[in-house]
């Protein structure tokens, strides 16, 4: 309920960001404003997650060896505005729509790609016990500085220790990490 209340309060900001960044995203290459992708939600139920589009239209999908999405500051697939949106994490703002729809929470494990489920090992599916979040323990403290499998362990740590105060700490730490632009891009080996 608190998630929905905070999301409702954030709607004017979401609309402002859409009004500011929407035309810039569109005019750069005449593509859609939003990136929509299927992600794993609570209980493994797939849902459509919304973000501001940061890549060029029809950019190829590149994955790391562990199945996670490849990202890099010099990724040629990024648009100019997309590079800014990613660096500032403003590309995540449209996920407030997902919170209002009940697919996501403000704080929780980051949602995995649907196809990443095939890489889950025993116990990894525990991260699906709660709704995924716009930010979470891993994003607040490590962002992209650790491999995907370690992120899952951080997600399970969060689930085992979930509390109002941990959420407050995560929220403040996320703001600090985003402002410092810390660990946004981490070079990993690309698959195939």
């Amino acid at each position: 309920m608190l998630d929905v209340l905070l999301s409702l309060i954030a709607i004017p900001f979401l609309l402002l960001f859409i009004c500011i960044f929407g035309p810039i995203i569109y005019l750069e290459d005449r593509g859609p404003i939003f990136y929509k992708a299927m992600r794993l939600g609570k209980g493994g139920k797939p849902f459509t997650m919304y973000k501001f589009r940061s890549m060029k239209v029809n950019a190829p999908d590149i994955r790391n060896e562990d199945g996670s999405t490849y990202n890099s500051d010099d990724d040629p697939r990024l648009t100019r505005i997309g590079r800014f949106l990613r660096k500032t994490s403003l590309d995540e703002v449209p996920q407030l729509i997902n919170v209002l729809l009940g697919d996501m929470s403000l704080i929780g494990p980051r949602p995995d790609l649907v196809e990443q489920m095939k890489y889950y090992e025993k116990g990894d599916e525990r991260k699906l016990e709660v709704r995924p979040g716009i930010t979470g323990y891993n994003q607040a403290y490590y962002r992209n500085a650790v491999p995907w499998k370690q992120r899952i362990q951080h997600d399970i740590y969060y689930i085992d220790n979930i509390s109002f105060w941990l959420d407050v700490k995560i929220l403040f730490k996320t703001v600090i990490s985003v402002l410092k632009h810390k660990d946004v891009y981490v070079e990993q080996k690309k698959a195939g």
Side-chain angles (χ1 to χ4, degrees), residues 87-89 143 173-182:
K87 195 168 199 169
T88 59
S89 295
R143 284 190 96 177
K173 182 66 174 162
T174 298
V175 171
I176 291 166
S177 294
V178 168
L179 291 175
K180 288 183 175 181
H181 307 295
K182 186 180 174 202

Side-chain angles (χ1 to χ4, degrees), residues 79-127:
T79 61
R80 288 176 303 210
I81 187 64
R83 193 173 316 284
F84 170 77
L85 291 170
R86 285 242 187 122
K87 195 168 199 169
T88 59
S89 295
L90 290 173
D91 61 324
E92 309 282 350
V93 170
Q95 290 170 36
L96 289 167
I97 297 166
N98 291 110
V99 174
L100 288 170
L101 294 172
D103 294 323
M104 292 180 72
S105 180
L106 291 176
I107 299 168
R110 286 296 294 158
D112 285 331
L113 300 160
V114 173
E115 55 270 22
Q116 276 182 297
M117 197 170 203
K118 69 183 173 189
Y119 296 103
Y120 281 13
E121 295 173 355
K122 186 175 171 71
D124 289 351
E125 70 283 347
R126 288 210 48 225
K127 79 172 284 180

